[in-house]
Amino acid sequence: MSIVVSLALFLLALFVYRRHLSPKGDWWLFMMRLVVIALFAFILIGQAINLTSKERPNRLVLLVDRSLSMKAIGEDGVVREVKEEIIQKLPKGLKPEFWIFGETAYVAPAEDQDGYFERTRMGRALELAALTKPGGVVLLSDGQDNGEKDPAEVIKKLKVPVYAIGFGGGAGRNVRLSDVTVPMMVYAKETVNIKVRLSGSGFSEMERLRLRAGEQVREVMLKGDFSEQEVEFPLVFFSPGRQKFWVRVESLAGELTYVDNQRDVVIDVKPGKTNVLYFTNRPGMGTRFILNALRKNPRVALKEIVVTRNGTIRPEALNGMDVVVLDGCTEGADNGFWERLLQRVQAGMGLLVIAGENFVAGNKLASLLPVKDLAIKKGVFTAQVNSKETYLDWFEPGKVDLNSVPPFTGMISGEPKDDKTLVWLEAVENGLPLLVARRKVVFLGAWPIWRWGFIPDLPLERETPLEILLDRVIRYLGEDTEVQFRLEADAHNYHSGEPVRLRFYALTPDGNPWEGLEVGVNLDSERLTMPMIDNGGGRYEVEIAGVAPGEHVAFVEAKMDGRVVGKAKAGFNVLEQGIELVRLGLNRGLLSRVAHLSGGWFVPAESLNASQINQIQTKVYERQFVIDPRRLPWVFALLTLIFGVELGLRRSKGLY
């Protein structure tokens, strides 16, 4: 259609301007006008010209591993033989280009065999070679990689065929713990599954191994040049807190290295159930709603004490409690309970105070509250999150939507005691605090909260806003807030040249994973700060390469909206021994994966034959040349220039 329109415009221009031709032969003015019309039509129609060409390069990169791990397995002679065999038997027309790589990669003469690198960055080497757009890559390596980039992910993006030839299959056998996976949330006295990935290489016969995680032992079988298994251990942690356990695989005689046969794992165990005491001496309409919400909570072991007005409670009721909920209480004559409560809260027990219309705080309770100068105010008060002070994900759509809960009809206002007091909720109408926290005390100074447990049209399977509020506050009060921010390295000792992986865990004040933080880390108080990657679920990670041998301390600072909300630090040690000499032998798994993802093949060096070399095929590259008139400024400039010149010349000749 665009061709027909362009032809019609051309013929129309020829018809319109035929009578303006001068007998003296001013055809070039006519042609300039036609060029203007053609360019205008080109822009108006917007037809892009797309020219595609295909090219199959005959250059084949021979990428040779020259790292210390290759030297250790003594395969230099085999590498030379394989290179000569490839050169002799390459399909006709292919031209080899020799590269060597280790810490870096570069083109080198075929005879350049001097020196070894102390590290293997295979991913970076494949990336550099692929960016030169060769027909294919022949990778000669033992597959032992300790770079920052995953070679398989690199080659998957660049899509260059890789033909991998592996060395070191007969260098010796080795078994190692590839990975240990633990759940993010672990509760005391509950069974959790720990996944351990075990790999082995160089086994000529079936090997029976003993794998231990904590106090449990499993027997596994490994066989062949390369094999891998994943084993699950159901473990139970009986006490809450930060705990450490070992994962070990039995060492075999003649292994290449024993360093990778064990790992220490640190895990945070949360309380299986929180012991909660509910007490009120002024029961009312909301008492049963709050009690029902607490009874339904599977993480709460509830003790209920409801007495009549000004009734007393014995101090022994506080024994073994993690959190105390005071609902609309009046602090009366002290028979030892209020004094014991003061002592226990000061020692770390959690306290939730739910104020009521007749709430009265005596000296001891007032000293615990996070607010001072209390005053009763009546009216309608709508709750909103005080985003400047705290970040609680439970006040979000789908959890507690503050636009759907009933407003309060009264409140006891007060000023925060100090800068350590967090105002979680405040009133829209006057900005006064409604829900306030300080250390191990939370004060809800508005009523009636029980109406949050009675929301019309709420599905039966959904938690009510009251249930969510009580659960999160109790979790905040009952758990160890010292582990709200934690930084740890994935190992205590690293080898020289090995990247250091740091993990930062962040929890909101109520114990939920804290996402969306801006987290930066620096080593040994240096000025350079490196950002950590947010992996979701309150976990942040970074890999740091090139750390010098010695003892180091990493410092982390987490920010939200430019405000520092948490800090943490962790120590680790870098040994003098290089990472290249830790894992030796053929890593069949990595080389096979790289070759498979790229469309090539993998073969151990001792099994290479002529038919496999003849199967090498090169990649076809497509080049596109696109001319889109609406996206090329020079087309508009050319149109304006030609039209201006042509118009000026016509006027100078008296033509129109």
Side-chain angles (χ1 to χ4, degrees):
M1 183 64 185
S2 60
I3 297 176
V4 175
V5 174
S6 300
L7 182 60
L9 287 172
F10 182 81
L11 294 175
L12 180 63
L14 187 64
F15 175 77
V16 170
Y17 289 103
R18 72 186 189 283
R19 60 190 179 86
H20 291 292
L21 292 178
S22 171
K24 297 181 180 180
D26 289 332
W27 283 92
W28 56 280
L29 290 175
F30 178 58
M31 296 305 296
M32 290 179 69
R33 178 58 59 91
L34 289 181
V35 171
V36 169
I37 294 174
L39 287 174
F40 182 74
F42 190 34
I43 296 172
L44 184 64
I45 296 170
Q47 179 67 38
I49 299 175
N50 193 337
L51 302 176
T52 303
S53 64
K54 294 184 178 181
E55 179 186 0
R56 185 186 290 273
N58 61 359
R59 182 170 56 90
L60 191 68
V61 170
L62 267 65
L63 193 58
V64 182
D65 189 346
R66 293 291 294 173
S67 60
L68 285 177
S69 62
M70 288 286 286
K71 178 183 179 182
I73 61 178
E75 295 281 352
D76 277 358
V78 181
V79 171
R80 283 193 293 269
E81 293 176 4
V82 169
K83 286 167 58 179
E84 292 174 1
E85 184 177 3
I86 292 174
I87 295 171
Q88 294 173 3
K89 298 177 181 178
L90 272 179
K92 187 177 180 180
L94 293 185
K95 296 181 180 179
E97 180 179 272
F98 291 94
W99 289 49
I100 64 174
F101 78 96
E103 291 185 38
T104 185
Y106 56 87
V107 180
E111 64 276 4
D112 187 355
Q113 297 290 325
D114 295 332
Y116 288 90
F117 295 100
E118 294 186 356
R119 192 168 172 193
T120 307
R121 287 187 168 97
M122 185 186 297
R124 179 58 175 161
L126 287 170
E127 183 178 54
L128 289 174
L131 288 175
T132 65
K133 295 187 175 181
V137 175
V138 178
L139 176 63
L140 287 73
S141 174
D142 58 358
Q144 299 301 337
D145 173 57
N146 44 66
E148 298 85 6
K149 296 186 176 183
D150 184 354
E153 293 299 320
V154 168
I155 214 65
K156 190 191 303 183
K157 294 178 182 177
L158 297 173
K159 298 179 180 179
V160 175
V162 176
Y163 303 93
I165 302 173
F167 298 85
R173 57 183 184 171
N174 190 47
V175 59
R176 73 185 185 95
L177 296 171
S178 304
D179 193 23
V180 179
T181 305
V182 298
M184 178 67 180
M185 304 288 282
V186 177
Y187 292 94
K189 299 181 181 180
E190 292 188 359
T191 302
V192 295
N193 288 323
I194 308 298
K195 296 181 180 180
V196 180
R197 185 173 292 276
L198 183 70
S199 62
S201 59
F203 299 116
S204 58
E205 298 179 355
M206 185 72 72
E207 292 282 354
R208 187 186 301 272
L209 301 169
R210 289 162 56 87
L211 179 63
R212 177 186 294 271
E215 299 300 322
Q216 294 191 31
V217 179
R218 296 278 190 277
E219 285 195 348
V220 295
M221 306 294 289
L222 294 176
K223 183 181 179 181
D225 288 338
F226 179 82
S227 58
E228 195 169 46
Q229 286 192 40
E230 187 173 87
V231 184
E232 284 195 3
F233 288 87
L235 300 182
V236 179
F237 299 90
F238 292 95
S239 57
R242 193 178 187 191
Q243 299 186 30
K244 177 179 177 180
F245 67 95
W246 286 91
V247 178
R248 294 184 176 92
V249 61
E250 181 182 34
S251 298
L252 301 175
E255 275 195 69
L256 294 173
T257 177
Y258 299 105
V259 176
D260 50 9
N261 288 18
Q262 66 180 24
R263 284 195 182 191
D264 58 323
V265 182
V266 177
I267 190 169
D268 275 328
V269 182
K270 299 181 178 297
K273 286 195 173 184
T274 303
N275 295 315
V276 176
L277 169 65
Y278 172 88
F279 171 62
T280 181
N281 55 13
R282 283 181 174 271
M285 185 177 296
T287 301
R288 66 185 182 94
F289 283 95
I290 294 176
L291 279 174
N292 285 337
L294 293 173
R295 290 167 185 160
K296 289 173 62 177
N297 194 324
R299 299 290 173 195
V300 167
L302 183 63
K303 181 178 181 179
E304 308 169 17
I305 298 181
V306 178
V307 298
T308 57
R309 180 173 296 186
N310 298 325
T312 60
I313 178 175
R314 297 181 61 82
E316 290 78 10
L318 295 171
N319 293 344
M321 294 297 108
D322 302 310
V323 176
V324 173
V325 178
L326 300 180
D327 181 15
C329 288
T330 297
E331 182 182 346
D334 193 351
N335 62 345
F337 172 78
W338 299 102
E339 179 65 30
R340 178 73 65 83
L341 177 68
L342 175 63
Q343 295 172 356
R344 290 293 309 278
V345 173
Q346 290 174 342
M349 185 182 69
L351 175 64
L352 169 59
V353 180
I354 302 175
E357 193 169 359
N358 298 313
F359 171 77
V360 177
N363 292 333
K364 294 180 176 60
L365 186 54
S367 67
L368 292 173
L369 296 180
V371 290
K372 60 184 179 180
D373 302 328
L374 300 180
I376 297 179
K377 294 185 179 295
K378 293 187 177 182
V380 176
F381 303 105
T382 308
Q384 68 176 0
V385 175
N386 180 15
S387 59
K388 295 180 180 179
E389 292 294 336
T390 188
Y391 310 90
L392 300 175
D393 68 344
W394 28 290
F395 291 114
E396 291 180 354
K399 296 180 182 178
V400 177
D401 185 357
L402 293 176
N403 295 318
S404 66
V405 297
F408 298 109
T409 59
M411 62 182 295
I412 294 181
S413 67
E415 292 292 326
K417 282 187 176 179
D418 52 33
D419 57 1
K420 295 182 179 179
T421 302
L422 299 175
V423 178
W424 287 352
L425 294 181
E426 61 186 10
V428 174
E429 291 74 13
N430 53 20
L432 293 176
L434 300 175
L435 184 63
V436 188
R438 183 179 183 273
R439 296 178 181 171
K440 284 292 187 176
V441 180
V442 175
F443 177 64
L444 176 61
W447 62 82
I449 191 62
W450 64 265
R451 293 198 297 178
W452 282 27
F454 185 74
I455 305 297
D457 302 325
L458 187 72
L460 292 176
E461 66 275 8
R462 286 278 301 276
E463 291 180 293
T464 66
L466 177 61
E467 291 169 352
I468 295 175
L469 176 69
L470 292 174
D471 174 72
R472 303 306 192 269
V473 171
I474 288 173
R475 188 185 300 178
Y476 164 76
L477 293 172
E479 294 181 358
D480 185 3
T481 56
E482 291 182 0
V483 297
Q484 182 180 358
F485 301 101
R486 186 179 84 246
L487 177 68
E488 62 183 33
D490 65 346
H492 293 296
N493 295 310
Y494 293 90
H495 296 270
S496 180
E498 183 179 8
V500 176
R501 174 174 292 178
L502 298 173
R503 294 187 179 95
F504 177 68
Y505 300 90
L507 300 176
T508 55
D510 63 326
N512 281 323
W514 198 338
E515 300 178 344
L517 294 175
E518 300 172 12
V519 183
V521 60
N522 65 69
L523 291 182
D524 306 321
S525 299
E526 294 181 356
R527 293 184 178 181
L528 178 63
T529 300
M530 293 157 283
M532 302 189 81
I533 299 173
D534 187 348
N535 287 331
R539 288 180 287 192
Y540 303 80
E541 288 190 7
V542 68
E543 275 194 1
I544 306 175
V547 182
E551 296 182 357
H552 300 274
V553 178
F555 299 89
V556 157
E557 191 172 77
K559 297 181 179 180
M560 174 65 80
D561 299 328
R563 174 174 174 261
V564 177
V565 296
K567 297 181 179 180
K569 66 178 181 179
F572 60 90
N573 188 38
V574 178
L575 306 175
E576 293 286 347
Q577 183 185 11
I579 184 62
E580 277 295 320
L581 301 179
V582 174
R583 297 172 185 168
L584 301 175
L586 176 61
N587 187 348
R588 179 187 295 267
L590 178 60
L591 294 178
S592 299
R593 191 156 55 105
V594 170
H596 173 73
L597 291 173
S598 68
W601 45 250
F602 162 75
V603 63
E606 59 272 15
S607 303
L608 183 66
N609 56 54
S611 63
Q612 290 165 329
I613 298 176
N614 287 326
Q615 292 174 9
I616 293 178
Q617 297 181 353
T618 55
K619 178 183 178 181
V620 176
Y621 292 89
E622 288 190 357
R623 287 188 172 87
Q624 290 186 333
F625 181 70
V626 179
I627 301 177
D628 188 345
R630 296 183 179 180
R631 297 187 178 184
L632 297 175
W634 63 266
V635 175
F636 293 90
L638 182 62
L639 173 62
T640 304
L641 177 63
I642 296 176
F643 181 73
V645 172
E646 188 258 349
L647 185 62
L649 291 174
R650 282 185 174 275
R651 287 187 175 181
S652 66
K653 292 178 176 288
L655 300 174
Y656 299 97

